[in-house]
Amino acid sequence: MLDKSSQIFSNPIDKKTIKKANKSKKKYIKKYGDDSNADYKLGFKDIDTLDFIKASNIVFDAENHKFDDKALIVGNIRMGFGHYRISIAMASAARALGFKPYWLDLASFDATGSKMIREQNDMYSLASRISQKSKLFNKLVWEPLNSEGFKKITYNAKDQRNSELLVPIFKHIDKDIPYIATHVWPSQAAIHSGMSHVVNAIPDNWAMGLHLSEGAIHTVQTPFAYYGYKTLNGFAKHPLNSVPEKDLKMVGCYIDHELLVNLEEDNKLRKERIKNDKPLRILMTVGGAGAGFDMFLAMVNHLIPYVKENKVALFINFGDHVDVYEKLCKKIKGIKTTNYFNQYQDLKKFVKDIRHGDASGIYAIYNKDIFEAVYSTNLLMPVTDLLVTKPSELAYYPIPKLFMKHIGGHEVYGGINGREYGDSFPECPTKKEINAMLDKILDDKELIPHLCDRIDQLKKMGHYDGAYECVKLAAGIK
């Protein structure tokens, strides 16, 4: 197994950090067992929700099954909804380019490395929720960790060592299958296992040592991220060796084929609805950590009068967080009597009906299945006029966007990117600011059409072609 903890891109890591990395790996082995000699056989299970891209989930099985000759693996983990969302985009692009996509969720197995991921994800989610309740914790711990702590190149050493625990899962995966990772751990694990065509699709605009996976092709969505990773500026107190051009590519935003193929028509319909004084369709998304509840509550309360006046149709995707829906119902009397979708097929029919039809009132969407929970937002985006979200993975999607307060300092730069490219409104960090911006958007009917035109321009420039480019890089297509 390759040692990736002692140096990264010819930049040596100090012995103290390496010692801590070794200790971390030993801790997980002691806690969850040493499965380095395990023989995990792999089978496949169709993902019904993603049947339109023929995606198959890789699972443990009694015997090994053969991968398709045109296989492309999307390595991921469930950490909130964001990495799943990017993974679906990669699988969609792979299918559109003639590949058979396979889904490898490294957190889903009964294996030592998977248990390590789940433990770390639980801690991350807990800290994220605490940051929304404690301003002191957010200011002194969470914001600095997500912006500067994860940025240090030394942070990479521990993750590299821990990701070695994932290698047994790769034993029966052909080493030359094209592979795209949507989180750094699946990328590092693939490199440790000897896979030769690995793309490390970096999600954030803020460059961090956390995301480095030497041996993979690192892809980024923006020029800002490219220069951050190219120079490694700020990753240490002293200058570092740069990342070679062959290992770093700026590809554009990671967007699903299905969201791009009819994008111009989606924007045309948005402008027509506004011109004809139809209710402005606003989509709000509750993230995987369920954070930001107070701001959601403030916005919904503020928009209810607009809904009653038929100026707004409000869609809220609660994902798989039924507890957040129930909490909102307790806070806002009468909201539970509105339209409620917990059956995926009903939502698909509804979306089809309102594409050229009307929508009014408040719509609550909840799905227990993770794929349905994530993809419900994808279904609704083409028929929605404005997406309200924190500036995380959704910050790059081709729909007019309004950003609520970020969660973690790294998300700030997703909001800045949308503002600078012109397909988003600026981040609004307070309840007062975001409600004032909603008022402005509803009052000034030229704002959304302007963003729609800009999105059309960006599509022509290839700004949203990142997922296609990742597939080409993994498959060696020029």
Side-chain angles (χ1 to χ4, degrees):
M1 189 182 301
L2 298 172
D3 177 16
K4 295 292 185 178
S5 294
S6 298
Q7 66 173 17
I8 180 76
F9 292 110
S10 301
N11 294 293
I13 304 300
D14 64 277
K15 292 182 179 180
K16 183 178 179 181
T17 298
I18 296 170
K19 185 177 179 180
K20 288 181 179 178
N22 294 336
K23 184 177 180 180
S24 179
K25 180 182 177 181
K26 290 177 182 177
K27 178 191 74 174
Y28 287 116
I29 291 175
K30 183 177 180 180
K31 188 171 184 179
Y32 297 121
D34 184 356
D35 64 351
S36 56
N37 294 319
D39 186 22
Y40 295 129
K41 294 179 171 59
L42 303 178
F44 314 124
K45 184 178 180 182
D46 291 341
I47 303 174
D48 294 336
T49 305
L50 306 182
D51 58 352
F52 56 97
I53 54 177
K54 310 299 181 185
S56 294
N57 197 17
I58 299 174
V59 297
F60 286 166
D61 207 341
E63 60 182 24
N64 284 310
H65 294 244
K66 189 177 184 301
F67 284 91
D68 189 275
D69 291 339
K70 292 287 288 181
L72 184 144
I73 297 173
V74 182
N76 59 75
I77 64 171
R78 160 116 198 232
M79 180 174 279
F81 283 179
H83 299 285
Y84 257 41
R85 186 175 305 288
I86 296 174
S87 297
I88 293 173
M90 297 300 178
S92 169
R95 176 67 177 176
L97 293 176
F99 292 89
K100 161 64 179 177
Y102 289 87
W103 188 274
L104 180 64
D105 179 355
L106 290 174
S108 67
F109 298 99
D110 184 19
T112 295
S114 300
K115 294 171 184 176
M116 176 270 296
I117 291 175
R118 291 197 292 270
E119 179 179 319
Q120 293 206 36
N121 186 34
D122 288 344
M123 289 190 295
Y124 187 91
S125 297
L126 175 61
S128 180
R129 290 192 295 272
I130 293 173
S131 74
Q132 299 304 292
K133 297 176 181 178
S134 170
K135 291 183 179 180
L136 191 63
F137 177 82
N138 189 55
K139 181 180 179 180
L140 298 180
V141 179
W142 198 236
E143 287 275 338
L145 178 63
N146 276 274
S147 58
E148 297 301 329
F150 291 156
K151 188 177 184 69
K152 302 305 180 186
I153 196 169
T154 50
Y155 194 90
N156 191 255
K158 185 169 72 172
D159 278 351
Q160 285 281 9
R161 192 65 84 216
N162 287 338
S163 65
E164 293 173 2
L165 297 170
L166 296 160
V167 168
I169 298 171
F170 288 78
K171 182 176 182 179
H172 294 294
I173 295 178
D174 297 336
K175 304 310 178 192
D176 59 350
I177 292 178
Y179 181 98
I180 302 173
T182 59
H183 185 280
V184 71
W185 295 337
S187 177
Q188 292 168 350
I191 295 298
H192 288 312
S193 71
M195 295 197 73
S196 57
H197 295 78
V198 179
V199 167
N200 176 29
I202 297 172
D204 293 314
N205 198 25
W206 177 244
M208 296 186 286
L210 166 71
H211 290 303
L212 295 173
S213 176
E214 187 175 5
I217 297 175
H218 297 64
T219 62
V220 294
Q221 301 181 85
T222 72
F224 182 72
Y226 172 84
Y227 285 110
Y229 284 103
K230 178 63 178 166
T231 63
L232 300 182
N233 188 37
F235 282 47
K237 293 180 179 180
H238 55 276
L240 297 171
N241 295 315
S242 297
V243 175
E245 177 70 21
K246 66 181 179 62
D247 296 321
L248 178 64
K249 305 294 180 183
M250 190 184 77
V251 296
C253 301
Y254 310 137
I255 308 299
D256 312 61
H257 173 74
E258 289 73 24
L259 292 177
L260 292 175
V261 68
N262 294 315
L263 182 57
E264 291 87 355
E265 183 186 0
D266 297 342
N267 282 325
K268 180 183 176 182
L269 291 172
R270 288 180 181 118
K271 292 189 287 187
E272 287 178 358
R273 285 193 292 268
I274 291 172
K275 181 180 179 180
N276 296 325
D277 289 323
K278 297 291 185 179
L280 187 74
R281 299 176 179 181
I282 299 176
L283 170 60
M284 295 181 180
T285 63
V286 177
F293 177 81
D294 288 344
M295 186 167 274
F296 274 105
L297 179 62
M299 286 188 289
V300 173
N301 269 321
H302 185 76
L303 289 171
I304 283 177
Y306 287 111
V307 173
K308 291 179 178 178
E309 295 170 8
N310 209 33
K311 293 181 178 179
V312 166
L314 183 58
F315 308 123
I316 311 175
N317 182 16
F318 292 92
D320 57 357
H321 291 266
V322 70
D323 55 322
V324 180
Y325 168 68
E326 292 171 348
K327 186 177 178 181
L328 194 69
C329 290
K330 291 178 181 178
K331 296 285 185 178
I332 303 175
K333 293 181 179 179
I335 194 173
K336 201 158 191 172
T337 62
T338 60
N339 307 286
Y340 177 62
F341 291 101
N342 64 354
Q343 297 297 319
Y344 191 67
Q345 295 304 319
D346 291 344
L347 178 64
K348 290 173 71 174
K349 181 180 183 303
F350 169 74
V351 167
K352 186 177 180 180
D353 290 344
I354 67 169
R355 181 166 181 81
H356 296 282
D358 292 329
S360 60
I362 300 176
Y363 301 83
I365 300 98
Y366 161 76
N367 289 281
K368 184 178 181 180
D369 178 82
I370 178 62
F371 292 103
E372 294 178 359
V374 173
Y375 206 76
S376 291
T377 294
N378 286 46
L379 291 177
L380 287 161
M381 275 193 279
V383 297
T384 301
D385 303 320
L386 177 68
L387 172 66
V388 180
T389 181
K390 65 188 182 77
S392 54
E393 286 77 10
L394 279 169
Y396 305 91
Y397 276 66
I399 177 176
K401 298 172 289 292
L402 172 60
F403 296 128
M404 54 192 287
K405 181 177 172 57
H406 64 272
I407 301 174
H410 61 295
E411 290 186 350
V412 172
Y413 299 89
I416 292 173
N417 178 75
R419 181 183 68 196
E420 294 300 316
Y421 270 97
D423 62 357
S424 308
F425 295 102
E427 178 183 343
C428 298
T430 68
K431 301 171 191 175
K432 182 179 180 180
E433 288 175 278
I434 202 161
N435 284 336
M437 184 59 75
L438 286 168
D439 289 340
K440 175 62 71 175
I441 293 168
L442 285 158
D443 178 64
D444 188 341
K445 297 185 181 297
E446 296 177 345
L447 289 171
I448 296 290
H450 177 79
L451 265 63
C452 291
D453 291 341
R454 179 57 179 160
I455 289 169
D456 286 343
Q457 292 172 351
L458 290 169
K459 183 188 175 185
K460 290 178 182 178
M461 294 163 54
H463 181 69
Y464 302 112
D465 288 348
Y468 299 125
E469 296 302 317
C470 285
V471 172
K472 291 176 184 177
L473 285 168
I477 299 173
K478 302 294 185 181

